Amino acid sequence: MRTSTLICLAVLIPVAPGWAGENALLNTTQSLHAKFYLPDLGDVTWNGGLFGQRFDVCRDTRVPNLWTIFSDPHASHAWDNFLMAAGLGEGRGDGKAHGPSFNDGDFLKWVETLAQIYALTRDPAIDVQMDEIIAVVAKAQREDGYLHTQKIIPQRRGLSGKKAQKFESRDHFETYNMGHLITAACIHHRATGKTSMLDLARKAADYIDRLCQEVPEDLAKNAICPSHYMGVVELYRITHEPRYLELAQQLIEIRSLVPREVGSDHNQDRVPFRKMTEAVGHAVRANYLYAGVADVYAENGDTSLLETLEKIDADVVGQKLYITGMTGALYDGASPSGSNKHRSIKLVHQAYGRDYQLSNLTSYNETCATVGYGLWMWRQFMVTGDMQDADLFE
């Protein structure tokens, strides 16, 4: 029996408040436009087989080794940056942040993985480790909810200028980092019942909400790999506070405010979302966007969102997807292709290409894009019930 068939048999069940599924990876027990819900995080375990072996490797080797990398100031800098932002260290001794601007978010994704493993193992050492990490993240986060260590470190040292200026560049991944804080906090809460990280997530979401109300254009321009779309929907599913769903809806609407000279296919903001008919630009950013929109549709049932997603889904499946499930064929290219509006043609990187532009020797096919495609296809399956989406996820 295929995995996707097993999934359907397991979860196509009516739900009621308090039933299983409220502590799942995604909680769609109350999502009126989702076709099914998932079992709780700790309800399903692997008993051998290929995926059981992979889980054992992840639990025993891969996840612990990632902590070794993250906590090594000469390898990753991620944990070092949090310590400096919290006022608990000096890093390499120069007091400066190091590493890529998406380091915070990648580290917080790893914390989410810890929480998922804890949900299955109930290992008290992991619980203690998460508590210690969350305490540092709490000290690193600004009181207003902003979290981006590469800016907070110079800010706490009284520096000014570009190095300390928030949202100074749309490529600095600030909302991406805060989005993964929110998602990790939701999973931590479901796995442990604790609110220590959830409190930080609410602060971050409230900060993004204020930006959405006060400077929506600035926020729209800084939606790189928009993990915060998925994050605030999941926060709504936990808190049941309508303002978080309203925020998620507005995050889609304000994309139309991005100035023409700034917007690009690279970041999927050259045209408003509902006018899109194909997958374009940076494949990770695109797939994160589509996944977040699917989450919003699951809650509000806006058919114009689903119709757009289905057009893009068909475009990818029909001519932009490798047989291996990979997306993002191009390392560098230009888009929109063949436009007579020359000023609209801009660089795209690690991106979806033209129809059937699926080279072998030069294919980029970044793993991050594949993860993003999995996030999208699973959510697409949850709102359509279409077995093709389950097969694409698989």
Side-chain angles (χ1 to χ4, degrees):
M1 187 178 290
R2 292 183 59 79
T3 304
S4 51
T5 307
L6 283 171
I7 290 169
C8 282
L9 290 175
V11 297
L12 286 173
I13 305 170
V15 296
W19 284 26
E22 291 192 336
N23 290 316
L25 188 65
L26 306 174
N27 175 12
T28 55
T29 57
Q30 305 301 309
S31 303
L32 295 180
H33 303 278
K35 302 294 185 182
F36 59 88
Y37 70 95
L38 303 176
D40 286 344
L41 285 165
D43 283 354
V44 178
T45 58
W46 297 106
N47 293 314
L50 173 63
F51 289 110
Q53 294 168 5
R54 290 297 88 199
F55 175 78
D56 290 346
V57 170
C58 187
R59 177 196 61 210
D60 299 334
T61 304
R62 183 174 296 155
V63 171
N65 187 57
L66 278 170
W67 171 245
T68 302
I69 294 170
F70 278 133
S71 59
D72 183 344
H74 300 286
S76 165
H77 323 291
W79 182 235
D80 229 30
N81 287 345
F82 274 106
L83 290 172
M84 284 191 287
L88 300 173
E90 286 298 319
R92 292 181 173 180
D94 57 8
K96 296 179 181 179
H98 293 277
S101 57
F102 48 76
N103 244 1
D104 293 359
D106 286 0
F107 177 79
L108 292 164
K109 281 190 283 188
W110 174 80
V111 175
E112 179 186 339
T113 303
L114 270 187
Q116 291 184 38
I117 290 176
Y118 175 76
L120 290 166
T121 65
R122 295 292 161 183
D123 183 343
I126 294 178
D127 193 28
V128 170
Q129 184 179 21
M130 290 191 293
D131 284 346
E132 292 172 348
I133 289 170
I134 292 166
V136 172
V137 174
K139 289 184 178 180
Q141 185 180 33
R142 287 193 336 196
E143 190 57 38
D144 64 0
Y146 177 82
L147 181 65
H148 184 58
T149 61
Q150 294 211 354
K151 296 297 182 180
I152 292 174
I153 290 168
Q155 287 171 5
R156 293 194 187 250
R157 283 162 171 71
L159 301 178
S160 58
K162 285 188 175 182
K163 288 188 176 181
Q165 181 183 341
K166 63 184 181 182
F167 299 113
E168 171 263 324
S169 167
R170 73 189 313 225
D171 289 324
H172 278 180
F173 289 86
E174 281 137 301
T175 53
Y176 166 84
N177 292 335
M178 286 184 277
H180 279 299
L181 168 66
I182 297 168
T183 303
C186 291
I187 301 305
H188 176 262
H189 172 68
R190 288 169 180 160
T192 66
K194 299 178 182 179
T195 62
S196 53
M197 198 172 193
L198 195 66
D199 293 340
L200 310 184
R202 293 175 72 118
K203 287 174 64 176
D206 292 346
Y207 175 78
I208 294 171
D209 191 26
R210 288 193 298 273
L211 291 179
C212 194
Q213 295 178 43
E214 298 169 6
V215 285
E217 182 182 311
D218 289 347
L219 180 60
K221 288 187 295 186
N222 289 275
I224 301 301
C225 294
S227 64
H228 54 306
Y229 292 23
M230 292 178 278
V232 295
V233 172
E234 216 55 48
L235 187 61
Y236 162 72
R237 289 166 174 165
I238 283 182
T239 65
H240 306 292
E241 292 190 28
R243 62 196 179 98
Y244 292 131
L245 178 57
E246 291 166 8
L247 170 60
Q249 295 169 159
Q250 280 303 111
L251 290 172
I252 298 170
E253 304 305 330
I254 64 174
R255 296 181 73 86
S256 62
L257 301 178
V258 176
R260 183 174 299 177
E261 66 275 12
V262 176
S264 68
D265 278 352
H266 185 55
N267 200 49
Q268 299 79 41
D269 53 14
R270 180 175 60 86
V271 298
F273 178 78
R274 290 176 181 83
K275 291 186 177 181
M276 295 180 182
T277 58
E278 60 178 334
V280 296
H282 194 288
V284 187
R285 302 179 187 192
N287 293 339
Y288 266 53
L289 168 63
Y290 308 148
V293 173
D295 264 337
V296 172
Y297 171 77
E299 301 303 323
N300 72 4
D302 183 341
T303 56
S304 66
L305 297 179
L306 183 60
E307 288 168 0
T308 304
L309 283 174
E310 289 182 325
K311 290 175 186 176
I312 299 170
D313 184 13
D315 175 62
V316 175
V317 174
Q319 51 244 3
K320 294 177 180 175
L321 181 71
Y322 283 82
I323 196 170
T324 57
M326 309 293 276
T327 61
L330 303 186
Y331 183 71
D332 279 328
S335 186
S337 177
S339 174
N340 59 8
K341 298 177 181 178
H342 290 177
R343 290 186 179 180
S344 71
I345 301 174
K346 297 181 181 179
L347 173 73
V348 291
H349 180 59
Q350 303 173 352
Y352 281 106
R354 298 186 294 276
D355 292 354
Y356 307 108
Q357 192 176 13
L358 298 168
S359 61
N360 289 319
L361 291 177
T362 61
S363 60
Y364 187 69
N365 291 350
E366 185 183 7
T367 304
C368 294
T370 308
V371 172
Y373 189 62
L375 293 173
W376 173 26
M377 281 302 99
W378 185 253
R379 287 162 171 80
Q380 191 84 357
F381 175 46
M382 293 183 83
V383 298
T384 66
D386 187 337
M387 293 305 299
Q388 175 177 273
D389 294 326
D391 286 339
L392 291 167
F393 170 81
E394 187 178 339

